[in-house]
Amino acid sequence: QYAANTAANTFGTPDLKLASAANMPLPEPAANCPNVNLKNSLDIRKKLYAEAASMLPFAGPLGIGLDGFLSHTCVNAEVHNTFLQTAIEFGIPAALIFASLFVVIWHSLLKASRKSSEALFALCALSFAVMLSLIYGRLSQDGLLFATLGYGAAIASTGSRTPLTAS
C-alpha cells in the first residue's frame, strides 16, 4: 500500500482516497466471485461491468488512477472497455473528453471518406479499433486505438492525398 501511494504521489496519479468526491472508501471486492463462472467469458464480463458501474460514483472527477480497477474487482481483471475504464480510472470529465475526441475525428473522417480512399481506410481502421476497445480494451495497452486515432486525426486535419476512384 505504501509503495502504491508513493508511486501515485511521485507520478501525479490521484490517490484513491482523494479521488472520491466525499472521501468515502471504495467498495471492497468480494472475497470470491459468487455466481460467476470463471470459465465463461460472458459471465466474467457481466460481473466486470456490474462492478465497474458500482464504482463510477466513487471515481470522482479525477478517477482512481491507471489500472486501479484491477485491484478492486473480484475477478482480478480489467473492465475490458476502454471508455468505461477511462471514466473509472481518470474520472468522468476525462472520459467525456476522450469520447468526444473520437466522435469529432470519426465524423471528420466520415465526411472525408466520400472523396478519399485514404480517409475511408482511416475511418475503417478507427472504427475497428474502437469496436475492439469496447470489448477487449485495456487503456494501458491500447496501442492500436491510439495509433488509429492519431492516424485518423492526421488524415482528417490535412485532407486526403488519395482520391477515391471507381475501379
Side-chain angles (χ1 to χ4, degrees):
Q1 180 68 25
Y2 173 75
N5 286 339
T6 303
N9 292 336
T10 303
F11 295 10
T13 306
D15 185 33
L16 295 178
K17 291 178 185 165
L18 295 177
S20 172
N23 285 333
M24 296 168 42
L26 287 168
E28 289 297 321
N32 57 13
C33 286
N35 303 324
V36 176
N37 180 1
L38 296 177
K39 294 181 182 179
N40 182 340
S41 176
L42 292 176
D43 219 18
I44 292 170
R45 287 171 199 270
K46 281 192 242 177
K47 179 66 173 173
L48 288 171
Y49 289 154
E51 288 181 338
S54 71
M55 286 183 69
L56 274 174
F58 296 96
L62 298 176
I64 62 173
L66 184 61
D67 289 337
F69 179 81
L70 189 62
S71 62
H72 293 300
T73 177
C74 73
V75 182
N76 197 23
E78 285 296 342
V79 73
H80 289 79
N81 183 317
T82 301
F83 296 97
L84 187 54
Q85 183 183 0
T86 302
I88 293 167
E89 296 183 353
F90 292 104
I92 293 174
L96 292 174
I97 292 169
F98 191 52
S100 66
L101 184 66
F102 284 97
V103 169
V104 167
I105 293 172
W106 193 86
H107 188 262
S108 298
L109 286 172
L110 182 63
K111 288 193 292 187
S113 69
R114 295 184 184 120
K115 299 175 187 168
S116 159
S117 59
E118 192 171 13
L120 181 61
F121 174 76
L123 176 68
C124 290
L126 182 60
S127 298
F128 177 72
V130 167
M131 285 187 280
L132 281 179
S133 73
L134 290 174
I135 298 170
Y136 300 108
R138 182 171 180 183
L139 193 58
S140 62
Q141 299 175 357
D142 256 343
L144 176 66
L145 182 66
F146 291 109
T148 56
L149 181 63
Y151 178 63
I155 298 300
S157 68
T158 61
S160 175
R161 296 176 291 268
T162 311
L164 190 61
T165 58
S167 301

